[in-house]
Amino acid sequence: MSTEPKKKIRIGDLLVQNDVITESQLKTALREQKSTGRKLGRTLVELGYVEEDTLLNILSRQLNVPFVQLRHYQFNSELVKKLPEAMARRFRAIVLAQQGEELLVGMADPLDLVAYDELVRVLKQPVKQAVVRESELLGTLDLVYRRTDEIASLAEELEDELDDDAFDLASLSAESESADAPVVKLLQTLFEDAVQARSSDIHIEPDETVVRIRQRIDGVLQEQVMKEKRVNSALVLRLKLMAGLNISEKRLPQDGRFNIRVKGRSIDVRVSTMPVQHGESVVMRLLDQSQGTLDLEGTGMPRQLLERFRKLIKRPHGMILVTGPTGSGKTTTLYGALTELNKPEVKIITAEDPVEYRLPRITQVQVNPKIGLEFAGVLRSALRQDPDIILVGEMRDHETVEIGLRAAMTGHLVLSTLHTNDSISSAMRLIDMGAEPFLVASSLLGVVAQRLVRRVCDNCKETYEPTDQELIWLRSFDLDPLDIEAGFVHGRGCYQCSNTGYKGRVGVYEMLEMNEDMLDALRRKDVSDFTRSARKSDLFRPLGQCAMDYALQGVTSLQEVARVAATAETGLSLEEEQTSDAIGVDS
């Protein structure tokens, strides 16, 4: 028998009877509810008169229904999909389980009689209610209603519309202007799914018989395969039109960008096309412009290191480098620094490729190699614009390095990036690119190296016992035995993390500030001495150690620490010891 809501229950009177709120507070909440149109329970919580859990526990007891915490709930995707997403969002409900003839349905407001009646009608089964937190429910809906089935269905629809022969580009272009065109629907669904899943990139890759759509989530690609191979050409064409690219050029790579609104967010999309064996491959980088101002607090940099970095960027002149591979968060760190330095009395000029985020009051210049506007040229012109601070997107060549170092010597603060494995190799990399050692020693203030490691999913986190091989490896970190005994964690895999065991990422950092011993080694181009001096520095902690701190805190796993330690350190120190004068010979 279904559990029906008690029709005469009024949440306000119930809370007053239980001495949770006063009559005066109820009257205030009712006035607020009248002006906002929100439900009374939500209004009481927002006014701070009652805790959400207290409210839900009272409802649970009064209605004799369970209070379910969705954060730790294991969902059955087939059951969830019995309720269409639109109705789930409208009525704040989700199907939890099959209990005999009844469906257990979690509801944020179990007193909503209209919602209850609609759920029974749509599900065509008796409904037993459960109480759930609205905040948890809204986040859960984004996770459980992924758009993969809809994407596959729209791909089939688009395939049916394409003739067996090559389709007419002109007619498809005109047709695509309609919001109802299958190709537009497919792209819209694809972008919605990507934003919902927190993807940073979308890859569309044609193969001989299929099209692969892969999304990079927390740094790892997740794949969906579509058998409708011919939809690739329609997708590429539409994306080229949106990005203002040449639709007739299929033999050369092209780059462009466009802006779209998805779920109320402004998303900047950078498009790169490339001719491949079975058509054209497209990769799109998604940048959420709705996230607000980027700041250093939001980078996740450890407090002690953050304070040191703040002191460094407030120096009046010199060069500061941020280093790491593509996608390691270098741009986020630099934009955070610029946001902190951005004051009315300071002139800031940037040379970027491309300009990723628009910042007020900062003069941002887009590098354009096609017309000869390179980093060095922009930097040379920027110095004639009376700047205090200059950001150079990347130190790519000898000329850019030379001008940047001289600008740092002549009273400017220069921020830039470099592609090296760690902070120690960055200073020598500048010399390797042709810069004079005395110039590097006179200008370089410090280097921040960074990586992103995946966070273990809080929903399926469990303790992890290191293997014998890992225990041997852990000895290299000189850890307290008590720390190792305290244990580590890993993710078992659940619906919230798409069975990966990870959800979200956090930055790991190492920071190298120049001291006299290091500067003296730089002037002599002595790699071994520079490396030894850097490692002996009291404040220097390598990337692997920072990652290990997070593992000991239960933020990330040992596997992620091993990955960072291997890419940043393993083999590098051996190479430095074996080639102590290699830089001097090359330069």
Side-chain angles (χ1 to χ4, degrees), residues 391-433:
L391 182 143
V392 184
E394 184 185 343
M395 289 292 173
R396 286 183 181 172
D397 52 58
H398 165 68
E399 188 179 8
T400 307
V401 171
E402 190 83 14
I403 299 170
L405 288 170
R406 292 193 182 279
M409 275 187 70
T410 54
H412 304 88
L413 181 66
V414 179
L415 308 175
S416 190
T417 70
L418 199 62
H419 287 281
T420 52
N421 284 328
D422 63 1
S423 59
I424 294 177
S425 58
S426 298
M428 287 301 174
R429 175 65 181 147
L430 294 177
I431 296 175
D432 193 27
M433 292 172 74

Side-chain angles (χ1 to χ4, degrees), residues 463-509:
T463 56
Y464 174 76
E465 290 294 328
T467 64
D468 291 341
Q469 189 174 357
E470 285 170 338
L471 287 171
I472 295 171
W473 168 69
L474 283 170
R475 292 176 194 162
S476 64
F477 287 90
D478 193 26
L479 299 176
D480 188 322
L482 292 176
D483 287 336
I484 297 177
E485 285 177 20
F488 299 93
V489 298
H490 76 155
R492 184 177 62 253
C494 66
Y495 78 98
Q496 286 201 13
C497 60
S498 301
N499 291 312
T500 62
Y502 298 98
K503 185 178 180 184
R505 290 189 289 177
V506 62
V508 295
Y509 302 85

Side-chain angles (χ1 to χ4, degrees), residues 149-440:
D149 292 342
E150 192 176 343
I151 289 170
S153 173
L154 287 167
E156 289 179 17
E157 184 182 342
L158 180 57
E159 173 84 353
D160 292 340
E161 289 211 356
L162 300 176
D163 298 326
D164 291 334
D165 301 326
F167 50 83
D168 180 11
L169 295 182
S171 64
L172 183 60
S173 301
E175 181 184 292
S176 296
E177 294 303 316
S178 166
D180 295 328
V183 67
V184 177
K185 285 185 189 174
L186 178 55
L187 281 173
Q188 183 179 354
T189 306
L190 182 58
F191 282 123
E192 286 178 357
D193 185 60
V195 170
Q196 210 164 286
R198 301 168 290 105
S199 302
S200 60
D201 302 81
I202 302 173
H203 297 233
I204 302 175
E205 303 166 337
D207 210 331
E208 186 174 3
T209 57
V210 297
V211 175
R212 287 184 171 83
I213 293 181
R214 300 200 281 174
Q215 297 183 26
R216 190 174 294 281
I217 302 171
D218 294 335
V220 177
L221 288 170
Q222 295 183 13
E223 182 177 85
Q224 180 178 2
V225 178
M226 298 191 302
K227 296 178 182 177
E228 299 78 15
K229 180 185 180 302
R230 286 182 299 138
V231 305
N232 183 72
S233 300
L235 287 174
V236 173
L237 172 66
R238 180 61 184 167
L239 289 168
K240 281 184 174 181
L241 287 168
M242 294 169 72
L245 303 180
N246 184 351
I247 62 173
S248 62
E249 179 57 78
K250 298 182 179 180
R251 301 164 302 167
L252 296 172
Q254 297 186 67
D255 297 301
R257 69 193 302 166
F258 59 86
N259 189 274
I260 55 171
R261 289 197 69 79
V262 180
K263 292 181 170 290
R265 301 184 192 175
S266 176
I267 308 294
D268 202 42
V269 184
R270 281 164 36 194
V271 182
S272 172
T273 70
M274 178 177 287
V276 294
Q277 187 176 6
H278 300 290
E280 284 183 278
S281 170
V282 177
V283 175
M284 294 176 282
R285 168 68 55 90
L286 309 182
L287 297 169
D288 190 347
Q289 301 287 346
S290 307
Q291 288 180 334
T293 307
L294 298 167
D295 57 32
L296 286 176
E297 293 287 346
T299 61
M301 200 177 283
R303 175 60 52 187
Q304 189 176 11
L305 195 144
L306 179 59
E307 293 306 316
R308 289 169 53 204
F309 186 60
R310 279 190 165 132
K311 287 180 183 177
L312 205 60
I313 63 175
K314 286 174 183 173
R315 299 276 287 272
H317 55 82
M319 178 178 283
I320 301 168
L321 295 175
V322 179
T323 183
T326 301
S328 60
K330 300 187 298 296
T331 301
T332 302
T333 300
L334 285 175
Y335 273 100
L338 286 186
T339 300
E340 200 145 306
L341 295 169
N342 189 6
K343 303 286 190 299
E345 63 271 19
V346 177
K347 170 81 169 184
I348 303 176
I349 299 178
T350 73
E352 304 174 63
D353 184 20
V355 174
E356 295 193 4
Y357 293 94
R358 280 78 170 180
L359 299 175
R361 202 189 291 118
I362 294 178
T363 305
Q364 295 175 273
V365 182
Q366 169 83 47
V367 170
N368 189 349
K370 293 177 183 176
I371 61 172
L373 190 62
E374 300 278 5
F375 277 116
V378 174
L379 186 51
R380 199 179 292 108
S381 299
L383 290 171
R384 295 194 286 270
Q385 293 272 313
D386 188 28
D388 297 292
I389 300 168
I390 299 171
L391 182 143
V392 184
E394 184 185 343
M395 289 292 173
R396 286 183 181 172
D397 52 58
H398 165 68
E399 188 179 8
T400 307
V401 171
E402 190 83 14
I403 299 170
L405 288 170
R406 292 193 182 279
M409 275 187 70
T410 54
H412 304 88
L413 181 66
V414 179
L415 308 175
S416 190
T417 70
L418 199 62
H419 287 281
T420 52
N421 284 328
D422 63 1
S423 59
I424 294 177
S425 58
S426 298
M428 287 301 174
R429 175 65 181 147
L430 294 177
I431 296 175
D432 193 27
M433 292 172 74
E436 292 291 341
F438 80 89
L439 205 54
V440 178

Side-chain angles (χ1 to χ4, degrees), residues 66 73 97-104 128:
Y73 200 84
Q98 179 83 48
Q99 296 184 341
E101 294 296 317
E102 297 178 323
L103 283 176
L104 180 66
K128 181 178 179 180

